[in-house]
Structures are given as C-alpha cells and as structure tokens.
C-alpha cells in the first residue's frame, strides 16, 4: 500500500485539464499522511498536540509497520531540521514545500526553536482548508498572534501572512510565480534557508522537480534541502506501490529519480548543490536514539520484522547543502540524530 506516505505536493487547480484528475489524487494523499500521523500519535509513537485540530477522529487502525514508518520519517526529518536551526542559531528561514496539514510551526514555537520566518506552500485548495482550521481553532491561531508584533495580520482565503509564519497557495511547477509570491511575503535570499519536501517531488515530472531544486540552489547561498520520498522503486515491492497508487489515479511522475540513492543524490548534484547525502529509512531507523526506538517497539507487536524492513528500504531521506557562510552544513551527519536542540530568539 502507500506506506509511509507524504504531505502533499503542489499544483494550482486548472479546471478542465487532463492534469486535474491527477492533481486531485495527489491532493488526497495529504489527508492520508495526516490521518496516519494522527493515528500514530494517538498510539503514543510521538507527541503532537496540534494534529487533532486538523483531523478530528483517530480513524481506522493502521498497521504497526506503517506507524513505525511514520515515526522514523518524523524523527529523521525533525533531527535534520532542528540541527540546521541550532547551527544557524535560528537566524534562518524555513520553507516547507507541499506542507499539507503539517504542524511543525507549532512544535518549533513550543520548543523555542523558531526560525526568523516559517513559510509553507501548497495547493490553494489545501491552503484554504488549513487557514480555515487555524482561524477557527484558538490553539492554532494563538501562537501565530503571539509571534506577530504589528496590528495587521494578513489573512485571505489562500494566504496567511504574519511576522513569523506564512502560508501561500501556489504551484511548485510554476517557479517564477512561486518566487514572486515568496518574495512578496518577505522571503530573504540572504538568510540561511532550509527547504523541506516530503513526498512532493515524486509527484512532479523530473524536469519540474529539477527546476525547483535548481531554483533553490540559485536563490540561496547558504541552504539545506531535505527531501523525503520513495527509493529503490525498480524492484517488485516498488512496482506494487506504483500500481496501488495508479489504481487511485495517482501517478508517480517523478519515479525515475527514485530508482536508487544515487539517482536521488544526482538530482541535487546536477542542479548546483555542493554536497548531498542520502540514507534509506531502514538505515535511519537504526541510527535513531535506540532507547526511544525500544519504547515505540513496545507499543504494538509487529509479527513480521521483514515487513517493516521492506517498507523502510523503499523510502529515504536525502539532504543537500550549500554553505557560503561556512556553517559546516556539508558535514551535517545523521549522527546529529542525538541530543536536544534549543535556541532562544527574542528579537525579530
């Protein structure tokens, strides 16, 4: 099935085009990811007090290997993100591409790990839903208001703009429009920037994803790009994943970059990134703090360990860096997966 899923990719809704059905199917994967995370947190895999405001019910039971897959994904991505925030002492910005109903902004606020500004981009229809939830749920809106210093907070159907948090409805395949919207909302190309995409690039054609990754390398002199998605897709298990998604009209348009860890890295090396690493999620799982892994493995009995292994070998985290400011990003090693990160920033 579509195991350790994804957030949501992008594409503006263009009525009456053949991409429309595909875009709609991709948008549906945003809900998959959120409901899977909601279930895993309800079981105690990790804490997320905010996800309940985006998905009310815990929903149907998910298989233990799916829950562990999401646990590995969330922990792995958070460790790299938090390490970047620590390295830059939070004097940076974060852009979550295809953010879906992700709750990272609220986690960072609670942990005093807020970057100067946190941007999210997604389909206008997904953005409209997220903004509606924020507007109607005080636990979501209060932290945004608290970090906003001026009187006016911009809010309309497809964008929210405050001092520290910004949500934009845009199409990641239209780079010039994306760039223009981000700059309109005070994106600063001079600041160290972390870009994050989780199961987003795989839904775009290789040329569209290369353009996006190239734009990021061209725009920021000191940056890190974290990409989480499928890998090793040419074997039988990968083929079954592709077929399952196709039955839902969901085409993995970018699957050729997902053949191997090397093909994942090549996309970044060919578009101007200086240093790239990639690990499959089984490797990441073995590198996470093992006392916590032991804790989550006690939550549910997993009969066949091979199931988890097979699943995790078909996802990876790839991270690319450019380091003009010599932060030492090139050596962001996953050994950073230990230790707590905290950085206080009071000034804007």
């Amino acid at each position: 099935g579509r195991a350790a899923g994804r957030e949501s990719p992008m594409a503006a809704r263009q009525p009456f085009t053949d991409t429309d059905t595909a875009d709609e199917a991709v948008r549906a994967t945003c809900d998959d990811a959120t409901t899977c995370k909601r279930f895993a947190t309800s079981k105690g895999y990790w804490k997320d007090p905010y996800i309940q405001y985006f998905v009310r019910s815990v929903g149907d039971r998910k298989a233990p290997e799916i829950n562990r897959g999401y646990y590995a994904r969330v922990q792995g991505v958070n460790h790299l993100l938090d390490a970047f925030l620590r390295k830059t002492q939070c004097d940076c910005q974060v852009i979550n591409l295809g953010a879906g109903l992700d709750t990272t902004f609220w986690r960072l606020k609670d942990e005093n790990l807020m970057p100067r500004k946190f941007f999210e981009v997604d389909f206008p229809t997904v953005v409209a839903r997220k903004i509606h939830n924020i507007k109607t749920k005080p636990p979501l809106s209060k932290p945004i208001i608290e970090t906003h210093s001026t009187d006016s907070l911009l809010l309309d159907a497809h964008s929210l703009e405050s001092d520290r948090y910004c949500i934009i409805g845009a199409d990641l395949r239209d780079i010039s429009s994306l760039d223009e919207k981000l700059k309109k909302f005070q994106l600063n190309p001079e600041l160290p920037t972390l870009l994050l995409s989780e199961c987003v690039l795989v839904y775009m054609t290789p040329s569209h994803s290369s353009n996006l990754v190239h734009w990021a390398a061209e725009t920021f002199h000191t940056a890190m790009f974290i990409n989480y998605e499928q890998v090793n897709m040419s074997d039988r298990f990968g083929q079954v994943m592709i077929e399952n998604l196709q039955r839902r009209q969901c085409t993995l348009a970018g699957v050729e970059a997902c053949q191997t860890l090397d093909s994942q890295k090549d996309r970044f090396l060919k578009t101007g990134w200086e240093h790239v690493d990639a690990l499959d999620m089984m490797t990441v799982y073995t590198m996470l703090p093992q006392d916590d892994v032991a804790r989550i493995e006690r939550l549910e009995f997993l009969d066949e360990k091979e199931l988890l292994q097979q699943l995790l070998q078909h996802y990876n985290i790839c991270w690319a860096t450019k380091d003009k400011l010599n932060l030492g990003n090139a050596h962001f090693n996953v050994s950073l997966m230990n230790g707590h990160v905290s950085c206080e920033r009071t000034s804007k």
Side-chain angles (χ1 to χ4, degrees), residues 149-201:
S149 55
T150 55
D151 302 334
S152 57
L153 190 139
L154 173 81
L155 196 60
D156 61 39
H158 294 125
S159 52
L160 179 162
E161 216 248 323
S162 71
D163 289 343
R164 306 294 287 274
Y165 182 51
C166 177
I167 312 180
I168 299 164
D171 185 339
L172 289 186
R173 296 169 298 199
D174 183 348
I175 300 294
S176 60
S177 167
L178 174 71
D179 187 71
E180 186 189 325
K181 286 179 179 178
L182 284 165
K183 288 186 176 140
K184 183 178 121 185
F185 292 125
Q186 279 70 62
L187 180 81
N188 178 358
E190 294 307 309
L191 268 185
T193 300
L194 183 128
L195 301 105
L196 173 61
S197 70
E198 297 184 54
C199 295
V200 171
L201 303 185

Side-chain angles (χ1 to χ4, degrees), residues 3-5 65-80 197-199 226-232 241 260-261 264 277-288 290 293 296-297 307-319 334 337:
E65 66 273 15
I66 302 274
N67 297 328
R68 291 185 192 184
Y70 269 94
Y71 166 82
R73 165 183 172 172
V74 168
Q75 301 304 317
V77 168
N78 286 353
H79 277 296
L80 287 169
S197 70
E198 297 184 54
C199 295
I226 303 172
N227 183 45
Y228 170 91
E229 69 185 4
Q230 291 89 337
V231 75
N232 297 325
M241 279 171 77
T260 61
L261 291 175
Q264 281 284 5
D277 282 295
L279 295 172
D280 74 53
M281 293 307 294
M282 192 62 220
T283 307
V284 172
Y285 191 76
T286 62
M287 296 171 90
L288 292 170
Q290 289 303 294
V293 171
I296 66 115
E297 288 185 345
L307 274 177
L308 178 69
Q309 193 153 6
Q310 204 172 31
L311 178 65
L312 293 185
Q313 283 167 348
H314 287 84
Y315 284 88
N316 82 118
I317 292 180
C318 179
W319 66 103
V334 185
M337 294 207 161

Side-chain angles (χ1 to χ4, degrees), residues 4 16 27 65 72 78 97 103 108 111 139 144 154 156-157 188 195 203 212 235 237 254 269 275 279 325 342:
F16 316 116
R27 276 195 282 271
E65 66 273 15
N78 286 353
L97 300 163
T103 57
L108 296 179
E111 295 180 9
I144 297 170
L154 173 81
D156 61 39
N188 178 358
L195 301 105
Y203 291 99
L212 182 62
D235 66 11
F237 187 90
L269 291 170
H275 187 92
L279 295 172
L325 294 182
S342 167

Side-chain angles (χ1 to χ4, degrees), residues 53-54 101 128-137 140:
Y53 302 114
F54 293 109
L101 302 176
R129 273 178 60 198
K130 188 163 196 174
I131 289 172
H132 173 76
N133 286 2
I134 291 169
K135 278 203 305 206
T136 54
K137 309 275 190 331
L140 296 176

Side-chain angles (χ1 to χ4, degrees), residues 12-292:
R13 191 174 165 74
Q14 299 160 307
F16 316 116
T17 65
D18 54 358
T19 60
D20 206 41
T21 314
D23 288 354
E24 197 53 65
V26 165
R27 276 195 282 271
T29 63
C30 161
D31 293 324
D32 294 351
T34 313
T35 52
C36 286
K37 285 179 175 177
R38 176 82 169 96
F39 185 83
T41 55
S42 77
K43 280 277 187 212
Y45 279 83
W46 70 93
K47 289 189 173 71
D48 184 345
Y50 298 100
I51 199 161
Q52 59 184 328
Y53 302 114
F54 293 109
V55 184
R56 272 206 298 279
S57 80
V58 169
D60 300 335
R61 184 178 173 276
K62 307 288 185 282
E65 66 273 15
I66 302 274
N67 297 328
R68 291 185 192 184
Y70 269 94
Y71 166 82
R73 165 183 172 172
V74 168
Q75 301 304 317
V77 168
N78 286 353
H79 277 296
L80 287 169
L81 169 61
D82 295 1
F84 185 87
L85 289 161
R86 177 173 54 189
K87 265 295 206 263
T88 58
Q89 299 180 308
C90 292
D91 194 12
C92 64
Q93 59 204 350
V94 174
I95 308 172
N96 189 340
L97 300 163
L101 302 176
D102 184 73
T103 57
T104 302
F105 165 80
W106 291 273
R107 175 182 76 81
L108 296 179
K109 166 109 174 33
D110 285 350
E111 295 180 9
N112 292 319
L113 257 182
M114 280 280 297
R116 274 217 225 173
K117 192 148 185 175
F118 192 100
F119 295 88
E120 292 184 351
V121 187
D122 212 315
F123 285 117
T125 48
V126 174
V127 163
R129 273 178 60 198
K130 188 163 196 174
I131 289 172
H132 173 76
N133 286 2
I134 291 169
K135 278 203 305 206
T136 54
K137 309 275 190 331
L140 296 176
S141 53
K142 211 167 138 269
I144 297 170
I145 294 161
E146 284 168 4
T147 58
H148 190 69
S149 55
T150 55
D151 302 334
S152 57
L153 190 139
L154 173 81
L155 196 60
D156 61 39
H158 294 125
S159 52
L160 179 162
E161 216 248 323
S162 71
D163 289 343
R164 306 294 287 274
Y165 182 51
C166 177
I167 312 180
I168 299 164
D171 185 339
L172 289 186
R173 296 169 298 199
D174 183 348
I175 300 294
S176 60
S177 167
L178 174 71
D179 187 71
E180 186 189 325
K181 286 179 179 178
L182 284 165
K183 288 186 176 140
K184 183 178 121 185
F185 292 125
Q186 279 70 62
L187 180 81
N188 178 358
E190 294 307 309
L191 268 185
T193 300
L194 183 128
L195 301 105
L196 173 61
S197 70
E198 297 184 54
C199 295
V200 171
L201 303 185
V202 67
Y203 291 99
M204 302 161 73
T205 64
S207 67
H208 279 134
S209 70
S210 283
N211 287 344
L212 182 62
V213 165
H214 183 243
W215 163 81
E218 290 279 282
T219 305
F220 308 105
H221 56 68
T222 302
M224 182 178 193
F225 198 124
I226 303 172
N227 183 45
Y228 170 91
E229 69 185 4
Q230 291 89 337
V231 75
N232 297 325
M233 292 298 276
S234 42
D235 66 11
R236 182 69 200 122
F237 187 90
Q239 290 308 304
V240 171
M241 279 171 77
I242 292 168
E243 287 158 19
N244 286 345
L245 280 161
Q246 277 171 342
R247 275 203 288 279
R248 297 167 47 178
Q249 263 90 45
C250 209
T251 310
L252 297 180
V255 80
E256 72 188 58
C258 304
Q259 298 310 312
T260 61
L261 291 175
D262 282 337
S263 66
Q264 281 284 5
K265 293 199 269 198
D266 281 349
R267 166 163 53 201
F268 291 91
L269 291 170
K270 287 177 176 156
T271 51
W273 292 85
E274 290 162 7
H275 187 92
V276 192
D277 282 295
L279 295 172
D280 74 53
M281 293 307 294
M282 192 62 220
T283 307
V284 172
Y285 191 76
T286 62
M287 296 171 90
L288 292 170
Q290 289 303 294
D291 54 342
D292 199 53

